[in-house]
């Protein structure tokens, strides 16, 4: 598989080269500045045709700041724009702003606490209202609104005061520097203030069902439980879409989804993609292009370090040695995922490729257990100090491949004298207190550790992020290491990528050594589309594979 | 039930048993049994159920494979590959072995749900029919209420939010299946309560429970047995529905329903994953329905010549 | 009559109240909650989840939440879906059409086929056809609908490629023919059970009518056989079936649930399964209430049907 090295954003260097779209957008603005304001609309090619995108989950949340799932973001990317976006290579490209704020161009102060944003001129909402700095202010302030059920406040909470300088310029102060905020902003879609009048409950505003954005596509219609239709925005400030109509079709069953792709009823299989067992067959389909797309999700066997058995590092090492990872990947996952030793996506600039590679060696595992004092009891299960080497593994009930994985591991580990019970839970139970308050022993979990391209993982590894110990975060492993805590804080407040890289390499080495989770692999999604469709570009830095529909075109 | 002395199949309580052989002979000469034996579909159903039950409870010992044994090299073997008569599943486990051990669970769930719901239904029907008056009105209202519950929705909600184990599934099915029995029993008891032998028993001062259980119950066993047989069929089907939708019995515990849960994904590449357990469910349910039908014909008082 | 009506309405209300209490208690007392599916969102923390739960009022005592919900429901506000923020009644309404289309088609097929099979079976009682129909109906009642659907998809979509494997229409081609071709498999699969039930009832009803005086009179008058059958026997045998149709009303959503899942049909059944998956409490409660109300109305209509149909049958 081809690896795209991920170059980080560096506010100190002018390396934020704009994408093609962004570049053209800027040229237009420049042209406007030269008195060529009446740039004829006719110059833009008329959008035509339609594309049908098949997905296996239904997008239902159209206000990008309410709690939503990843599939909703496919729609958000089409309808809205962030101030700047993160491109597949990890760089930031301007969208609504004239240039990405950096220390060099004065957009960010040297200490990282003062920001200035300049918006493009002449950008309008889908209803014709011009975009102003007030909209940006509204969007950022909405995140902190007492009554608004904002999905996330991280980063936004640090903003202290926002000043609207003019219709196209605003500034704000932050209570402290926060390196990941660039990445967070690249996911923060700007929404129109005028859609939320006085006295309108932002949670229940009509906007939430018929969104108005500045993006390349406009909301057209929704047939609940079936499809959503979008039409090209002819007044888009950028290049605009070349396909006139997008139909996002919800097909809950993967087999039906694949069948419809095979027969040409849908042009693109996006979310969930083609199920692995159909991959080989799909690559041979005439007129279809089938590609593996890396995503940021790392499949883990997450361990609860507060469990008396799993607290023993020897046990964790033995468990890892007993995982026949290659067979799991080849047989259960049809060889599609990429084996990994870390939580960091391999495409990231911060990925440490020097980590020791896992080997499948159950004999070595047994030796480690013997040495640590775990000896077989009368029933063949190892015992130490009266404690049986036994634990429960849980995951989302109904996830068949994971259930298969569990049963395979159960058999492998039993041969080593390790007993694993399987108790799967419905998703609502699995990921509630059971997960967040570390009530599991071992959990099969696919985790996206990063927010966009930023390597910060304080939420996952910092001692203060252990919910079960009164913290707030996602450190459900209950992993605690003073050195890692220090490194995490240092990393989050260090701005230069070159300086951050060794920090995060050390964290990855410690995690690999301590094994708070057994890393299995980084997921690859099998994406398929009609050969004639061009411009479908994956982006590991966003959560959804159909993020750039405005760049799609029919050959 | 014109003559309480020629008791139906399973009420030896009222029959004196002098010697074993004579009891057997009398049993064999029982006109109802003979009528049942002549019911070809019912007999076919009975034979199928016996074979299926034996296969499920003895079969696993005869097969060369353990139902839990994983062999990834042999995954997705079609039926009749080597000793895998029904093929293998996505983990290379033998489907025949899984089918049989799943059958143990599905049949047990069906049977226990039947026992439970029959007990509940009979108790409620007996009390309501025997005492009449307010207890009848009250209990039958409750029965009506349960009957008009949106059962599929309620059942799924219960199964989705409570931790699904075989016990829980059995309880959920039983709680939503006893009403038919209660109605039938209540109607029958009402017919019996005014009869001579009941009145006689009451006159000699027999306690209520004695009359209910020793006098009335044996006489209405026929309809209860018929209803119970049909309840087994219904319960097996319900377990399959809930498990198919993913809210029933959870892997690694196999049940016929959850063997089908995953099958839709492999419908084009490994159709036997869907076909084999589906046939087992259909066979079991059809058989119980046929037996119920045969019993109804045989035990229906009007049809005994 | 008035007493009967008042009585039934009161009973219905109590029933609906009981269903709502059981549903609400089970949903809310079970571990987990509607927010847990968002726990895996990158950057989500327990603090965020707690804050949102508080904003949504999920941290209030259960009785308070229930009374609040009940009060709103009685005033016609069934709450808003957690999943798409629209009012529950809107959500139900938007999925109702698809279910009605599927149920309507399948019921029409079931009535037509069931009447035919039932009447023929009665006319040719104890014939091979009658025997086959009886056995066939028993088997049809025993096959799990979803499995029958899977086998149908396997044969007609995957192997033969004649029919679409799911969905209600092809996007972009919403012609009548397109709807019809998508309707064939799910409606036939769904009709199977109803054909069995309907034909059994119809056979009994026909046998009853056949021995009535007016049929004998008609026969004595020398009317042609097909006229006796169509004008007298079938017409009169259909009267008690109205009751059966009333009792079938509540199965409108429930009956199609599994079929909608197998054929990815965007109706109420699918909505329910999806809502269970997302823990969309207001929609789950809404659908429970909706089906409870339908059940009550269905039983009520069936009772009235019996009251009206009975004397007519006796009068012949």
């Amino acid at each position: 598989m081809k690896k795209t090295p991920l170059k980080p954003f560096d506010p100190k260097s002018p390396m934020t080269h704009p994408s093609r779209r962004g570049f053209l957008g800027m040229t237009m603005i420049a042209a406007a500045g030269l008195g060529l304001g009446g740039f004829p609309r006719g110059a833009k090619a008329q959008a035509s045709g339609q594309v049908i995108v098949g997905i296996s989950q239904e997008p239902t949340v159209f206000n990008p700041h309410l709690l939503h799932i990843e599939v909703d973001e496919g729609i958000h990317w089409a309808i809205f724009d962030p101030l700047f976006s993160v491109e597949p290579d990890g760089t930031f490209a301007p969208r609504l702003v004239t240039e990405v704020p950096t220390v060099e161009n004065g957009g960010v102060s040297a200490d990282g606490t003062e920001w200035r944003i300049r918006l493009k001129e002449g950008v309008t909402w889908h209803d014709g209202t011009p975009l102003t700095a007030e909209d940006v202010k509204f969007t950022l302030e909405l995140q902190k609104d007492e009554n608004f059920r904002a999905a996330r406040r991280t980063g936004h909470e640090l903003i202290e005061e926002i000043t609207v300088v003019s219709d196209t310029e605003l500034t704000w102060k932050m209570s402290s520097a926060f390196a990941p905020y660039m990445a967070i902003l690249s996911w923060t879609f700007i929404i129109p203030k005028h859609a939320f009048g006085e006295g309108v409950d932002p949670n229940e505003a009509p906007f939430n069902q018929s969104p108005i954005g500045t993006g390349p596509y406009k909301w057209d219609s929704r047939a609940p439980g079936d499809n959503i239709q979008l039409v090209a925005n002819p007044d888009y400030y950028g290049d605009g879409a070349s396909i006139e109509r997008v139909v996002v079709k919800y097909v809950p069953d993967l087999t039906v989804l694949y069948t419809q792709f095979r027969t040409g009823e849908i042009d693109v299989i996006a979310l969930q993609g083609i199920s692995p067992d159909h991959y080989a067959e799909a690559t041979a389909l005439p007129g279809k292009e089938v590609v593996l797309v890396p995503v940021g999700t790392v499949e883990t066997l997450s361990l609860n370090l507060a469990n008396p058995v799993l607290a023993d590092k020897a046990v964790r090492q033995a468990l890892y040695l007993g995982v026949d990872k290659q067979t799991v990947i080849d047989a259960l996952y049809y060889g599609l995922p990429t084996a990994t030793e870390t939580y960091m996506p391999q495409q990231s600039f911060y990925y440490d490729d020097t980590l020791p590679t896992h080997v499948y060696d159950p004999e070595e595992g047994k030796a480690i257990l013997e040495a640590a004092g775990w000896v077989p009891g009368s029933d063949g299960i190892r015992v130490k100090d009266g404690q049986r080497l036994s634990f429960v593994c849980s995951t989302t009930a109904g996830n068949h491949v994971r259930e298969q994985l569990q049963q395979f591991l159960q058999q492998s580990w039993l041969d080593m004298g390790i007993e694993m019970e399987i108790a799967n839970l419905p998703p609502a139970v699995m990921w509630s207190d059971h997960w967040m308050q570390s009530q599991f022993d071992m959990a099969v979990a696919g985790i996206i550790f990063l927010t966009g391209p930023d390597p910060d993982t304080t939420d996952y590894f910092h001692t203060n992020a252990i919910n079960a110990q009164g913290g707030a975060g996602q450190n459900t492993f209950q992993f605690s290491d003073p050195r890692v805590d220090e490194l995490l804080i240092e990393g989050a407040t260090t701005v230069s990528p070159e300086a951050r890289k060794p920090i995060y390499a050390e964290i990855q080495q410690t995690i690999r050594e301590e094994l708070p989770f057994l890393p299995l692999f980084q997921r690859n999604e099998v994406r398929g589309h009609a050969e004639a469709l061009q411009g479908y570009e994956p982006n590991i830095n966003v959560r959804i594979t159909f993020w750039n529909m405005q760049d799609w075109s029919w050959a | 039930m014109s003559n309480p002395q020629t008791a139906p199949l399973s009420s030896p309580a009222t029959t004196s048993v002098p010697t074993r052989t004579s009891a057997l002979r009398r049993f064999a000469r029982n006109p109802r049994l003979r009528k049942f034996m002549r019911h070809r579909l019912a007999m076919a159903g009975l034979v199928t159920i016996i074979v299926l039950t034996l296969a499920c409870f003895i079969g696993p010992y005869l097969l060369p494979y353990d139902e839990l044994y994983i062999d990834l090299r042999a995954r997705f073997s079609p039926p009749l590959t080597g000793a895998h008569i029904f093929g293998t599943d996505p983990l290379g486990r033998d489907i025949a072995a899984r089918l049989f051990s799943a059958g143990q669970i599905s049949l047990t769930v069906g049977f226990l749900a039947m026992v439970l719901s029959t007990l509940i239904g009979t108790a409620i029907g007996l009390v309501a029919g025997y005492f009449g008056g307010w207890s009848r009105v009250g209990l039958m209202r409750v029965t009506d209420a349960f009957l008009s519950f949106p059962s599929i929705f309620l059942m799924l909600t219960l199964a989705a939010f409570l931790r699904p184990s075989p016990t829980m599934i059995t309880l959920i099915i039983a709680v939503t299946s006893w009403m038919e029995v209660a109605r039938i029993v209540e109607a029958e008891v009402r017919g019996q309560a005014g009869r001579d032998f009941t009145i006689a028993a009451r006159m000699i001062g027999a306690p209520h429970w004695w009359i209910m259980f020793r006098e009335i119950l044996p006489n209405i066993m026929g309809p209860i047995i018929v209803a119970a047989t049909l309840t087994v069929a219904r319960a097996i089907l319900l377990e399959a529905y809930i498990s198919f939708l993913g809210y029933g019995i959870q892997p690694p515990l196999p049940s016929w329903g959850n063997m089908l849960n995953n099958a839709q994904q492999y419908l084009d590449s490994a159709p036997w994953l869907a076909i084999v357990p589906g046939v087992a469910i259909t066979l079991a349910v059809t058989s119980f329905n046929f037996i119920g039908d045969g019993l109804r014909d045989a035990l229906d008082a009007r049809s005994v010549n | 009559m008035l007493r009967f009506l008042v009585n039934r309405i009161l009973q219905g209300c109590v029933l609906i109240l009981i269903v709502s209490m059981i549903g609400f208690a089970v949903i809310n007392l079970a571990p987990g909650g509607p927010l847990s599916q968002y726990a895996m969102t990158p950057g989500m923390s327990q603090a965020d989840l707690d804050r949102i739960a508080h904003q949504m009022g999920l941290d209030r005592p259960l009785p308070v939440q229930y009374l609040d919900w009940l009060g709103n429901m009685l005033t016609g506000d069934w709450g808003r879906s957690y999943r798409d923020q629209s009012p529950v009644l809107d959500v139900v309404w938007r999925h109702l059409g698809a279910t009605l289309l599927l149920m309507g088609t399948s019921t029409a097929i079931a009535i037509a086929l069931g009447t035919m099979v039932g009447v023929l079976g009665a006319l040719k009682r104890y014939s091979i056809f009658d025997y086959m129909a009886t056995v066939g109906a028993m088997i049809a009642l025993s096959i799990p609908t979803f499995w029958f659907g899977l086998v149908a998809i396997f044969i007609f979509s995957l192997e033969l490629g004649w029919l679409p494997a799911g969905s209600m229409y092809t996007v972009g081609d919403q012609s009548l023919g397109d709807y019809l071709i998508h309707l064939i498999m799910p409606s036939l699969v769904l009709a199977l059970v109803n054909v069995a039930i309907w034909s059994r009832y119809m056979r009994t009803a026909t046998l009853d009518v056949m021995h009535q005086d007016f049929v004998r009179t008609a026969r004595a008058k020398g009317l042609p056989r097909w006229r006796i059958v169509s004008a007298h026997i079938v017409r009169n045998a259909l009267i008690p079936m109205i009751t059966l149709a009333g009792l079938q009303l509540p199965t409108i959503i429930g009956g199609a649930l599994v079929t909608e899942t197998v054929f990815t049909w965007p109706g109420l059944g699918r909505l329910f399964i999806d809502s269970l998956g997302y823990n969309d409490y207001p929609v789950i409660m809404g659908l429970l209430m909706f089906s409870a109300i339908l059940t009550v109305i269905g039983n009520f209509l069936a009772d009235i049907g019996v009251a009206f149909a009975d004397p007519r049958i006796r009068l012949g």
Side-chain angles (χ1 to χ4, degrees), chain C residues 168-295:
Chain C
M168 190 161 79
Y169 53 84
T170 314
V171 179
D173 174 19
Q174 275 143 268
S175 59
L176 183 66
D178 187 56
Y179 272 103
L180 283 180
I181 206 154
H182 281 86
L183 255 175
I184 294 175
M185 256 202 303
S187 60
L188 280 177
V189 166
L190 187 56
L192 181 78
V193 172
N194 287 334
V195 170
I197 298 175
W198 197 267
S199 69
R200 294 287 80 200
Y201 278 99
M202 198 59 203
R203 180 178 180 273
T204 316
T206 310
L207 284 175
D208 283 351
V209 175
M210 267 166 71
H211 301 291
Q212 304 271 339
D213 291 341
F214 68 88
V215 176
R216 246 174 274 156
T217 317
R219 210 170 277 155
K221 276 198 285 186
L223 283 176
R225 192 176 154 79
W226 64 268
R227 278 221 51 192
I228 301 178
V229 172
S230 63
H232 294 275
I233 298 182
V234 175
R235 240 174 77 186
N236 284 287
L238 275 173
I239 294 173
M241 306 300 283
I242 296 165
T243 316
L244 187 63
L247 284 171
Q248 299 255 307
L249 186 65
T251 62
I252 280 182
I253 22 186
L257 190 135
V258 186
T259 315
E260 286 181 3
T261 309
V262 173
F263 291 99
T264 63
W265 194 265
L268 290 175
R270 253 248 65 93
L271 174 69
F272 187 67
I273 297 288
D274 279 356
S275 302
L276 280 182
Y278 285 94
N279 275 25
D280 196 343
Y281 293 175
V283 177
I284 297 173
M285 281 309 293
L287 285 174
L288 262 180
M289 290 298 93
F290 187 69
S291 58
I293 291 170
L294 270 190
T295 315

Side-chain angles (χ1 to χ4, degrees), chain C residues 55-205:
Chain C
Q55 287 172 329
M56 292 168 76
L58 292 170
D59 54 352
R60 293 172 301 164
L62 196 57
V64 175
Q65 288 189 49
Y66 176 72
L67 289 178
D68 191 34
W69 173 84
L70 189 69
N72 286 335
M73 206 199 92
L74 293 177
T75 59
D77 172 11
W78 289 27
R80 277 170 184 265
S81 160
Y82 292 165
R83 210 150 69 95
D84 73 356
Q85 285 81 43
S86 38
V88 169
L89 280 177
D90 286 6
V91 177
V92 171
W93 178 248
R94 286 190 302 226
H95 286 79
L96 189 62
T99 296
L100 286 181
L101 176 66
L102 178 59
M103 285 301 297
T105 315
S106 129
T107 309
I109 294 172
I111 291 177
L113 269 181
T115 307
M116 232 164 64
V117 173
V119 171
L120 274 179
L123 291 179
K124 303 188 187 286
R125 203 176 171 190
Y126 301 132
S127 67
I128 293 188
F129 174 83
D130 186 31
Y131 187 74
M132 298 284 283
T134 308
V135 177
M138 292 272 265
I139 295 176
L141 285 174
S142 306
I143 296 182
T145 317
F146 63 86
W147 182 69
F148 190 61
L150 288 180
V151 173
I153 291 178
F154 174 65
I155 296 174
F156 295 104
S157 297
L158 300 178
E159 289 296 303
L160 299 173
W162 290 353
L163 295 169
S167 297
M168 190 161 79
Y169 53 84
T170 314
V171 179
D173 174 19
Q174 275 143 268
S175 59
L176 183 66
D178 187 56
Y179 272 103
L180 283 180
I181 206 154
H182 281 86
L183 255 175
I184 294 175
M185 256 202 303
S187 60
L188 280 177
V189 166
L190 187 56
L192 181 78
V193 172
N194 287 334
V195 170
I197 298 175
W198 197 267
S199 69
R200 294 287 80 200
Y201 278 99
M202 198 59 203
R203 180 178 180 273
T204 316

Side-chain angles (χ1 to χ4, degrees), chain A residues 253-256 258 262 275 277-278 281 327 330-332 334 397-398 400-401 403-405 407-408 410-411 422 424-426, chain B residues 68-72 75-76 90-91 93 98 159-164 246-247 250-252 261-262 264-269:
Chain A
D253 183 78
L254 287 181
T255 306
V256 177
Y258 174 67
R262 204 173 53 182
S275 55
D277 52 312
H278 288 126
E281 182 195 317
T327 303
D330 289 343
L332 298 183
Y334 296 83
H400 304 298
V401 186
E403 278 162 2
Q404 292 168 13
L405 170 73
Q407 290 166 49
F408 178 75
Q410 187 178 42
Q411 182 171 309
I422 300 173
N424 293 336
L425 301 165
Chain B
L68 293 176
Y69 180 71
I70 294 168
D71 179 8
L72 287 178
R75 64 200 307 237
F76 293 122
L91 281 173
R93 291 172 299 192
R98 285 184 64 70
F161 287 96
L162 303 173
R163 192 179 288 221
Y247 295 109
Q250 296 298 317
N261 175 228
N262 195 11
Q264 189 165 11
Q265 195 195 327
Y266 302 110
L267 203 54
D268 51 348
S269 52

Side-chain angles (χ1 to χ4, degrees), chain B residues 11-292:
Chain B
S11 62
T14 49
T15 332
S16 56
V17 189
T19 65
R20 216 171 175 188
T21 43
S22 79
L24 264 180
R25 203 172 301 142
R26 267 182 69 179
F27 183 65
R29 253 193 255 123
N30 185 318
R32 295 200 169 93
L33 180 70
R34 291 183 145 189
K35 192 164 160 64
F36 179 73
M37 301 275 284
R38 277 201 306 272
H39 197 293
R40 264 175 286 169
L41 286 176
M43 286 316 289
L46 191 64
V47 171
T48 312
I49 283 301
I50 291 172
V51 170
L52 211 54
T53 312
L54 285 178
C56 289
F57 286 88
I58 298 174
Y61 300 101
L62 304 178
L63 288 169
Y65 301 101
D66 181 83
E67 87 270 11
L68 293 176
Y69 180 71
I70 294 168
D71 179 8
L72 287 178
R73 282 158 306 162
R75 64 200 307 237
F76 293 122
S77 309
L80 301 175
T81 309
H84 297 293
I85 42 171
F86 293 145
T88 61
D89 74 355
L91 281 173
R93 291 172 299 192
D94 186 52
I95 290 186
R98 285 184 64 70
L99 186 78
F100 293 150
S101 55
Q104 291 179 15
I105 291 175
S106 291
L107 289 173
T108 311
V109 166
F111 187 77
L112 289 180
M114 175 275 282
V115 171
L116 259 179
S117 64
T118 308
L119 284 179
I120 301 173
T122 308
I124 288 181
L126 257 182
V127 172
Y130 180 79
F131 290 106
W134 279 109
S135 60
R136 190 180 90 82
V137 174
L139 285 173
M140 291 331 281
R141 277 291 132 79
V142 172
T143 310
D144 286 344
F146 267 85
L147 259 182
S148 40
F149 266 166
S151 55
I152 297 174
F153 285 83
L154 204 61
M155 206 170 352
L156 272 176
T157 311
L158 288 171
F161 287 96
L162 303 173
R163 192 179 288 221
S165 65
T167 321
M168 188 55 77
I169 298 297
T170 309
L171 285 176
I172 290 175
I173 294 175
V175 164
T176 49
S177 311
W178 56 270
M179 294 81 74
E180 289 291 332
V181 181
R183 276 192 162 180
I184 291 166
V185 171
E186 192 269 339
E188 291 285 334
V189 173
R190 224 179 336 144
Q192 297 279 326
R195 297 180 71 97
D196 298 346
F197 63 95
T198 330
I199 295 166
R202 206 172 292 164
M203 278 171 67
I204 58 168
H208 287 311
W209 66 265
W210 196 87
I211 301 174
M212 274 196 280
F213 289 96
R214 297 304 297 271
E215 294 291 330
I216 297 178
L217 190 59
N219 284 310
I220 58 167
M221 279 314 280
I224 295 181
I225 291 171
V226 173
T229 317
L230 298 176
T231 308
V232 180
R234 189 181 128 87
I236 293 176
L237 212 49
L238 282 178
E239 184 275 319
Y241 274 92
I242 306 175
S243 294
F244 168 73
L245 291 170
Y247 295 109
I249 290 162
Q250 296 298 317
L253 221 55
S255 85
W256 284 340
N258 76 20
M259 284 179 79
L260 275 163
N261 175 228
N262 195 11
Q264 189 165 11
Q265 195 195 327
Y266 302 110
L267 203 54
D268 51 348
S269 52
W272 60 89
L273 291 178
I275 291 169
V276 172
V279 169
I281 297 171
T282 309
L283 265 183
V285 178
T286 313
S287 301
F288 276 112
N289 278 336
F290 280 158
I291 297 172

Side-chain angles (χ1 to χ4, degrees), chain A residues 13-343:
Chain A
S13 77
M15 62 176 287
T16 52
H17 48 258
S19 71
R20 175 183 59 94
R21 178 182 55 262
F23 180 74
L24 283 175
M26 284 170 70
T27 333
M28 281 178 65
I29 299 298
L34 286 169
L36 299 169
F39 208 71
R41 286 277 173 226
K44 211 182 274 183
Q46 185 69 40
S48 63
Q50 115 174 341
V51 62
I52 302 179
V53 183
I55 46 176
S56 63
Q57 285 173 313
E58 187 186 8
T60 54
V61 180
F62 310 111
N63 180 335
H65 304 296
L66 284 168
L67 268 188
H68 58 264
I69 51 175
E70 58 187 327
V71 70
D72 297 313
E73 289 181 14
I75 307 293
H76 302 165
W77 275 106
I79 292 183
F80 300 101
D81 286 298
L83 292 172
F84 42 84
S85 60
V86 57
E87 296 298 299
D89 63 1
T91 58
F92 294 101
R95 285 257 177 142
L96 296 175
V97 293
T98 52
E99 56 181 354
V100 176
T102 61
V103 175
E104 281 67 40
N105 64 26
V108 185
S109 66
D111 67 351
T113 58
E114 285 176 41
W115 291 60
R116 189 197 64 216
I117 297 291
R118 286 199 177 122
L119 298 174
K120 284 175 183 164
E121 304 261 358
V123 177
T124 57
W125 295 99
H126 294 156
D127 61 2
T129 318
L131 166 89
T132 72
E134 287 291 345
D135 294 314
V136 180
K137 181 175 185 235
F138 170 78
T139 304
L140 294 178
E141 283 180 342
L142 185 63
Q143 313 302 320
K144 296 201 288 182
D145 186 327
E146 269 304 292
N147 300 314
F148 183 64
R149 298 174 202 144
R152 286 181 310 146
R153 287 178 166 179
T154 320
H156 301 304
E157 286 169 321
L158 301 173
I159 294 188
E160 283 187 330
E161 52 172 292
I162 304 177
T163 315
V164 173
V165 180
S166 72
D167 271 359
T168 54
E169 187 175 329
L170 75 161
T171 60
W172 67 75
K173 283 199 183 105
M174 298 183 78
S175 55
S176 64
F178 187 53
Y181 197 53
M182 277 303 283
I184 291 170
L185 275 181
S186 77
W187 285 14
T188 304
F189 296 101
I190 304 303
I191 55 173
K193 183 182 183 184
H194 67 271
F196 298 83
E198 279 302 313
V200 173
D201 179 353
N203 299 300
E204 297 181 354
F207 167 85
N208 300 347
Q209 260 96 52
S210 48
I212 303 160
T214 52
Y217 280 96
K218 293 201 285 191
W219 180 259
D220 182 54
S221 65
R222 168 173 182 233
D226 200 78
N227 69 67
I228 288 167
Q229 305 204 16
L230 309 173
V231 287
N233 172 13
D235 302 321
Y236 189 56
Y237 61 86
D239 242 8
S242 72
I243 297 177
E244 212 221 335
R245 179 171 291 269
V246 171
V247 181
V248 179
K249 185 160 169 50
Y250 165 53
V251 181
D253 183 78
L254 287 181
T255 306
V256 177
L257 187 66
Y258 174 67
T259 311
Q260 296 195 351
F261 174 65
R262 204 173 53 182
T263 57
E265 217 173 299
I266 54 178
D267 303 308
V268 178
I269 288 196
L271 186 82
Q272 292 285 299
I274 297 167
S275 55
D277 52 312
H278 288 126
Y279 174 66
E281 182 195 317
T283 50
L285 290 177
K288 311 279 177 199
E289 198 174 319
V290 174
V291 196
L292 283 184
V293 179
V295 290
T297 316
V298 175
E299 191 81 353
T300 67
L301 296 169
S302 293
L303 305 174
N304 182 353
L305 304 189
N307 176 285
V309 174
L310 299 171
D312 187 342
K313 188 170 156 188
V315 170
R316 304 201 294 272
Q317 287 172 331
L319 284 172
Y320 199 30
L321 285 165
V323 177
D324 188 351
K325 205 190 265 193
Q326 206 50 51
T327 303
V328 164
I329 290 175
D330 289 343
L332 298 183
Y333 295 88
Y334 296 83
L336 301 184
T338 312
T340 193
E341 301 296 337
T342 178
Y343 60 87

